[in-house]
Amino acid sequence: MKIKILTLFPSMFDGILTNSIIKRAIEKDLIEIEITNIRDYTQDKYGRVDTPPIGGGAGLIMKCQPIVSALNAVKGDNDHVILFSPRGRTYNQDVCKELYSKGQDLVLICGHYEGVDERVNDYVDEQISIGDYILTGGEIPAMVLVDSIARLIDGVISEDSLKTESFDNNLLEYPQYTEPYEFDGKKVPDILYSGNHDAIDKYRLKESLKLTMKYRPDLLEGRVYTKQEKSLLKEIEENNDNPKWMNEALKKGKKFIKD
């Protein structure tokens, strides 16, 4: 997959492209990131890429010509062009998966200053917003898309890691623990040591439901619950943290490993 980024500030991407998962994905040729400096395409005799808004107003507006010329230079016949804008649909994991599943290369246009010339919108396929807050430009949203989409590419991270992440199945991820068994009086739940993977999966689903109800109840709106989820919801409502199925799993489970 190839992602082409049009920006006035290419150096902002040095960190994300030379570290961690993205760096390894690039080195394995699993993803290609191409950075284009919009400044290189201005035809303004003074080299400007922005000017004050016509009709008056604060700040500077990015000019149409440099952006469109840069876009024409890099865009392929099957590329999907995105402009970051507060008008756009809000980015989430479903949108991330949709963009990846298109099988198209992406072109990301990063606005800056007070925005871009309105006519740029005629050259894009869609607009995307990463949230209702103000940023200085589209570079950080572009990094968000690169990181989130790269994780979906085969071979970038393990398949097991992808199976149980937050927002999959519209639930927050269950709590995770590592050694030691006890730290500062706080203990790892014994069920995780039981060796009973069915019971562990059930416990984790229950915890995911519990966390989602507490922190992101909006994710559960309109949800059609499975029979198992309905049973777990009843346990949550009754504050039953030691149900029969869990006690049976603990009795039959492996010897606890408590370092």
Side-chain angles (χ1 to χ4, degrees):
M1 183 177 195
K2 188 172 186 177
I3 300 179
K4 307 165 188 178
I5 302 172
L6 308 187
T7 175
L8 292 176
F9 302 95
S11 62
M12 287 186 67
F13 295 89
D14 291 347
I16 189 173
L17 300 183
T18 57
N19 289 278
S20 190
I21 290 173
I22 304 299
K23 177 185 178 182
R24 294 196 297 271
I26 293 172
E27 290 174 345
K28 293 179 181 179
D29 294 324
L30 298 174
I31 188 171
E32 183 179 351
I33 310 294
E34 178 183 288
I35 308 293
T36 296
N37 191 336
I38 296 172
R39 295 179 189 275
D40 295 339
Y41 290 87
T42 183
Q43 296 172 4
D44 185 280
K45 62 181 180 180
Y46 299 108
R48 292 177 301 191
V49 293
D50 51 77
T51 54
I54 295 174
L60 298 170
I61 304 298
M62 287 181 65
K63 298 174 69 176
C64 186
Q65 177 275 312
I67 296 174
V68 174
S69 294
L71 177 61
N72 289 337
V74 304
K75 185 179 181 297
D77 293 337
N78 195 40
D79 288 356
H80 187 72
V81 183
I82 296 170
L83 173 67
F84 296 106
S85 166
R87 301 181 194 174
R89 58 173 173 162
T90 303
Y91 191 68
N92 58 30
Q93 190 67 11
D94 288 337
V95 177
C96 173
K97 290 179 179 178
E98 177 191 324
L99 292 175
Y100 174 63
S101 66
K102 285 179 180 292
Q104 297 174 286
D105 289 339
L106 302 178
V107 181
L108 311 180
I109 301 177
C110 304
H112 217 80
Y113 309 122
E114 288 299 316
V116 302
D117 187 302
E118 178 68 21
R119 292 165 290 186
V120 171
N121 293 305
D122 294 335
Y123 299 86
V124 306
D125 295 308
E126 73 167 310
Q127 300 177 46
I128 282 180
S129 167
I130 65 165
D132 296 338
Y133 42 84
I134 307 301
L135 296 173
T136 55
E139 285 75 20
I140 292 175
M143 295 178 200
V144 170
L145 259 72
V146 168
D147 189 274
S148 57
I149 291 174
R151 295 173 61 82
L152 301 180
I153 299 174
D154 289 343
V156 173
I157 61 176
S158 69
E159 291 186 13
D160 288 342
S161 294
L162 288 173
K163 288 178 182 177
T164 53
E165 293 192 304
S166 287
F167 306 114
D168 279 345
N169 197 26
N170 259 27
L171 294 175
L172 296 180
E173 189 176 7
Y174 50 79
Q176 298 274 26
Y177 299 89
T178 186
E179 303 300 343
Y181 168 71
E182 183 173 350
F183 174 77
D184 199 22
K186 301 172 180 62
K187 299 178 181 179
V188 176
D190 288 342
I191 189 67
L192 298 178
Y193 287 103
S194 69
N196 186 324
H197 295 293
D198 288 339
I200 290 172
D201 288 343
K202 192 172 181 178
Y203 162 79
R204 285 174 166 170
L205 175 58
K206 181 177 179 179
E207 292 302 303
S208 287
L209 287 165
K210 191 184 298 184
L211 288 173
T212 307
M213 290 174 67
K214 181 177 180 179
Y215 294 105
R216 289 295 305 275
D218 57 296
L219 295 175
L220 299 175
E221 293 178 5
R223 184 182 184 86
V224 179
Y225 294 98
T226 65
K227 183 177 179 180
Q228 183 182 57
E229 288 174 344
K230 289 179 181 178
S231 175
L232 294 175
L233 285 172
K234 185 177 180 181
E235 291 178 10
I236 293 171
E237 291 170 358
E238 296 174 349
N239 291 317
N240 185 1
D241 292 328
N242 296 291
K244 182 179 179 181
W245 61 266
M246 186 179 294
N247 289 325
E248 289 178 351
L250 290 172
K251 289 178 182 178
K252 297 178 182 178
K254 296 178 181 178
K255 182 179 180 180
F256 295 156
I257 304 169
K258 303 176 182 178
D259 294 339

